[in-house]
Amino acid sequence: MSANIFGSAEDISSTFQNTETGTIRSGRTRVFGVYLDSGSASGDFHLRDGGSGGALKFKVKTPAAVGGLTINFPGPILFETDVHASFTTEHVKSATVFHSK
């Protein structure tokens, strides 16, 4: 029996990242949401399909407030090649991305 998490019956996994850029998951996958540990400066958090120069699939401006920010997508975002995250540690200390296995 599958759990209904983030509005989906799919099995999902999570990947933690605390470096400014990196591949979250290689291969075709769907992203259901993110948890961001924000810092004291505002800035951008990006998810791209196809590495650091790939198509921008998700962008959010984080607030200039220390704390956690949970973003549940209304539907999963499809990444055909891979999921690549980028941010600067002045505004996002770490990110957890929830994605299909």
Side-chain angles (χ1 to χ4, degrees):
M1 175 183 227
S2 296
N4 191 345
I5 301 171
F6 291 108
S8 175
E10 289 187 50
D11 289 337
I12 66 170
S13 186
S14 65
T15 301
F16 175 82
Q17 179 177 319
N18 61 0
T19 57
E20 292 188 349
T21 184
T23 299
I24 297 292
R25 176 149 172 96
S26 294
R28 182 182 166 98
T29 191
R30 297 179 190 279
V31 173
F32 296 89
V34 296
Y35 173 81
L36 306 174
D37 183 9
S38 63
S40 58
S42 66
D44 293 332
F45 174 81
H46 298 161
L47 291 177
R48 294 183 180 274
D49 187 357
S52 61
L56 183 62
K57 294 285 197 136
F58 177 74
K59 176 181 176 180
V60 67
K61 176 145 315 266
T62 60
V66 175
L69 175 64
T70 301
I71 303 169
N72 298 325
F73 300 157
I77 299 173
L78 176 62
F79 290 76
E80 296 280 350
T81 307
D82 64 20
V83 180
H84 185 273
S86 63
F87 54 87
T88 58
T89 52
E90 290 78 27
H91 67 271
V92 174
K93 297 177 188 175
S94 64
T96 302
V97 178
F98 299 93
H99 54 81
S100 57
K101 289 186 175 184

